[in-house]
Amino acid sequence: VTATPLGPGPEFDRIRAIAQALGGAAAGLGDDCAFLPGGWCASTDASIEGIHFRFDWLSAEEIGWRATMAALSDLAAVGAEAEAVLVALAVRPGSPNDLPTRLMIGAGEAANAVGARVVGGDLNAGPTTTLAVTVLGRATRPIRRSGAAPGNELWVTGRLGGARAAWQAWEAGGAPSAEARARFAHPIARIAAGRRLATQATAMIDLSDGLAGDAGHLASASGVRVVVDLDRLPIDPAVTAGDPALAAAAGGEDYELLVALPGQVGERLGPELKTALDLDLTRIGVVDSPSAGEVLFLRLGQPVSLEGFNHFR
Ligand SMILES: [Mg+2]
């Protein structure tokens, strides 16, 4: 197998085309990390000014933190321990001389917060400020997206929708609440939770594009239908607009983990995560049958349709 099946969407159509064009030049595409010999896991993630952040929303240190945690989240998604971070930077000509340093102070703080170190990088001038962050970690039992089986339960860490609430407040010309702003500016890659969940998980993914899209990736990779009860979602208190459950499900960039666990396991791991990490673990659905990757979202008992974040709308 050269590629793990991805869920629907124009961004993923482009990735499928790349995988097909690469053919035998690629291996193992489509999961949160690449799995390399020796238990090494690797992933890369770019944060781009105007797309992922704006300088009038966040400080340079916050931008570096957020870009690095976003990349580290893919290590959390496979249950890996974080080891090393490399950052390829591009900054606009005429940027303050200390901008690269400030971005990297944030990157270093994020790496440090999960036990990793910055081990290299690259610095260029470019038309827009970009941080391309590569992360390396190690897992003794890496968890892929592809192992969910009928009868498993779906659980999610933390609370959803806070980052999107901040984004929407800024986009509407206002200012987010302090809580929403913190969720956007200061995400925490769930490395420690991912390692504990990986002892029991059958499949796992991080919520970078939002539950709507990422549940589809897990379902497609595992060849199962999943049913998500939106009434059960742990909603960030910062979510106030519209139907909070739909907003929380649509929101990306919370960097929480969606995990498939055998029955009874979540009830045991939940209190463990709460005690050790002060992190909620909430059961939000089930894996119910083999399928090409269908996701059924229920709200008040009725099916509803949701779309994940799409860069190529
Ligand atoms: Mg991911």
Side-chain angles (χ1 to χ4, degrees), residues 131 138 205:
L131 302 86
R138 263 195 296 209
I205 188 171

PDB file of all heavy atoms in Angstrom, residues 131 138 205:
ATOM      1  N   LEU A 131       6.255  29.738   7.735  1.00  0.00           N
ATOM      2  CA  LEU A 131       7.025  28.845   8.601  1.00  0.00           C
ATOM      3  C   LEU A 131       6.706  27.418   8.182  1.00  0.00           C
ATOM      4  O   LEU A 131       5.563  26.953   8.350  1.00  0.00           O
ATOM      5  CB  LEU A 131       6.645  29.025  10.070  1.00  0.00           C
ATOM      6  CG  LEU A 131       6.788  30.418  10.693  1.00  0.00           C
ATOM      7  CD1 LEU A 131       5.539  31.257  10.436  1.00  0.00           C
ATOM      8  CD2 LEU A 131       7.034  30.304  12.189  1.00  0.00           C
ATOM      9  N   ARG A 138       9.279   9.677  18.039  1.00  0.00           N
ATOM     10  CA  ARG A 138       9.417   8.224  18.077  1.00  0.00           C
ATOM     11  C   ARG A 138       8.238   7.586  18.781  1.00  0.00           C
ATOM     12  O   ARG A 138       7.742   8.107  19.779  1.00  0.00           O
ATOM     13  CB  ARG A 138      10.715   7.815  18.774  1.00  0.00           C
ATOM     14  CG  ARG A 138      11.805   7.540  17.756  1.00  0.00           C
ATOM     15  CD  ARG A 138      12.947   6.798  18.360  1.00  0.00           C
ATOM     16  NE  ARG A 138      13.593   7.600  19.383  1.00  0.00           N
ATOM     17  CZ  ARG A 138      14.876   7.475  19.681  1.00  0.00           C
ATOM     18  NH1 ARG A 138      15.624   6.607  19.046  1.00  0.00           N
ATOM     19  NH2 ARG A 138      15.404   8.206  20.622  1.00  0.00           N
ATOM     20  N   ILE A 205      -6.411  10.397  14.920  1.00  0.00           N
ATOM     21  CA  ILE A 205      -6.117  11.515  14.009  1.00  0.00           C
ATOM     22  C   ILE A 205      -6.217  12.780  14.840  1.00  0.00           C
ATOM     23  O   ILE A 205      -6.945  12.807  15.838  1.00  0.00           O
ATOM     24  CB  ILE A 205      -7.115  11.530  12.818  1.00  0.00           C
ATOM     25  CG1 ILE A 205      -6.716  12.565  11.765  1.00  0.00           C
ATOM     26  CG2 ILE A 205      -8.550  11.764  13.296  1.00  0.00           C
ATOM     27  CD1 ILE A 205      -7.546  12.457  10.473  1.00  0.00           C
TER      28      ILE A 205
END
